[in-house]
């Protein structure tokens, strides 16, 4: 079991100073680990796997705000739709449609972010800039599409990471002129969150700095 209280408190202060939401990435972490963070005041947690998330949501405090930050398959949407706080990785229109359908069934509005492909790695998912601009968001009335999410290239090249985050930040600003709901920019993880915050991120997803390296 691991929870680095000092790291967490330092990170929390940084986020509060910059008006940034900290999402503690709790995938493959124990419920006891999550409760240690929760008891320090953390309420936003990010999960990647549907089955694991559903189990944790059943067992842990109901005021936790669960963020799904992984690659979500359409056939799994129905399992998290009743309780999910925000879905970060919406990377195609079919997934948007499915999430909207499930939200409509439940008579709830689900917040989500559009994932943009900003990295040079082909393994990353996401819309292109052109696809984002061509989306008609009025087709999804049961969704609160409130911003963008992106993951930078996994590299030691700081300038490349900075440029990728800058691109996403500028795209989000551009979209805000057309849609005032675009208030969230989710980018930055344990290794690059400082760069992301400098480039305008107001939501970071941090796991290993808080819980240690995954085994």
């Amino acid at each position: 079991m691991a929870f680095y209280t000092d790291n967490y408190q330092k990170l929390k202060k940084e986020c509060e100073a910059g008006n940034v939401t900290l999402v503690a990435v709790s995938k493959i972490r124990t419920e006891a680990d999550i409760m240690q963070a929760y008891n320090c005041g953390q309420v936003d947690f990010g999960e990647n796997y549907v089955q694991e998330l559903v189990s944790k949501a059943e067992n842990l405090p109901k005021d936790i705000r669960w963020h799904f930050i992984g690659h979500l398959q359409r056939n799994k949407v129905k399992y998290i739709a009743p309780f999910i706080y925000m879905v970060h990785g919406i990377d195609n229109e079919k997934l948007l449609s499915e999430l909207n359908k499930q939200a409509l069934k439940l008579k709830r509005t689900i917040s989500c972010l559009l994932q943009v492909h900003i990295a040079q790695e082909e393994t990353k998912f996401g819309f292109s800039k052109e696809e984002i601009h061509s989306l008609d968001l009025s087709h999804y009335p049961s969704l609160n599409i409130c911003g963008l999410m992106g993951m930078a290239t996994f590299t030691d090249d700081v300038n490349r990471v900075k440029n990728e985050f800058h691109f996403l930040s500028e795209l989000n600003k551009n979209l805000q002129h057309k849609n005032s709901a675009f208030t969230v920019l989710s980018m930055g993880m344990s290794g690059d969150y400082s760069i992301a915050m400098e480039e305008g991120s107001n939501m970071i997803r941090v796991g290993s700095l808080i819980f240690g390296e995954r085994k």
Side-chain angles (χ1 to χ4, degrees), residues 86-172:
M86 182 179 287
V87 179
H88 286 229
I90 299 291
D91 56 14
N92 63 77
E93 290 190 68
K94 289 182 178 178
L95 184 54
L96 267 176
S97 296
E98 181 61 26
L99 189 62
N100 184 73
K101 183 176 87 173
Q102 296 299 331
L104 188 60
K105 277 185 187 177
L106 295 162
K107 297 182 179 178
R108 70 181 300 239
T109 300
I110 297 176
S111 293
C112 63
L113 303 173
L114 303 175
Q115 183 172 352
V116 182
H117 191 285
I118 60 172
Q120 297 194 9
E121 298 149 322
E122 289 301 317
T123 52
K124 297 284 199 301
F125 297 94
F127 290 101
S128 68
K129 176 182 177 180
E130 293 73 26
E131 288 170 332
I132 288 286
H133 277 296
S134 66
L135 281 175
D136 185 350
L137 303 185
S138 66
H139 291 164
Y140 314 104
S142 292
L143 301 182
N144 173 29
I145 304 172
C146 53
L148 302 180
M149 180 273 245
M151 290 184 284
T153 303
F154 185 69
T155 175
D156 292 328
D157 185 343
V158 173
N159 285 329
R160 179 190 287 183
V161 173
K162 186 178 179 67
N163 288 337
E164 289 170 355
F165 284 152
H166 183 75
F167 169 82
L168 189 61
S169 182
E170 290 300 305
L171 178 58
N172 201 54

Side-chain angles (χ1 to χ4, degrees), residues 60-102:
L60 294 170
K62 299 308 175 190
D63 61 337
I64 285 178
R65 298 193 298 221
W66 295 106
H67 298 245
F68 193 84
I69 60 175
H71 180 60
L72 182 59
Q73 296 174 304
R74 277 184 291 152
N75 63 346
K76 300 288 181 67
V77 170
K78 60 187 176 185
Y79 299 112
I80 65 171
F83 65 87
I84 198 70
Y85 176 75
M86 182 179 287
V87 179
H88 286 229
I90 299 291
D91 56 14
N92 63 77
E93 290 190 68
K94 289 182 178 178
L95 184 54
L96 267 176
S97 296
E98 181 61 26
L99 189 62
N100 184 73
K101 183 176 87 173
Q102 296 299 331

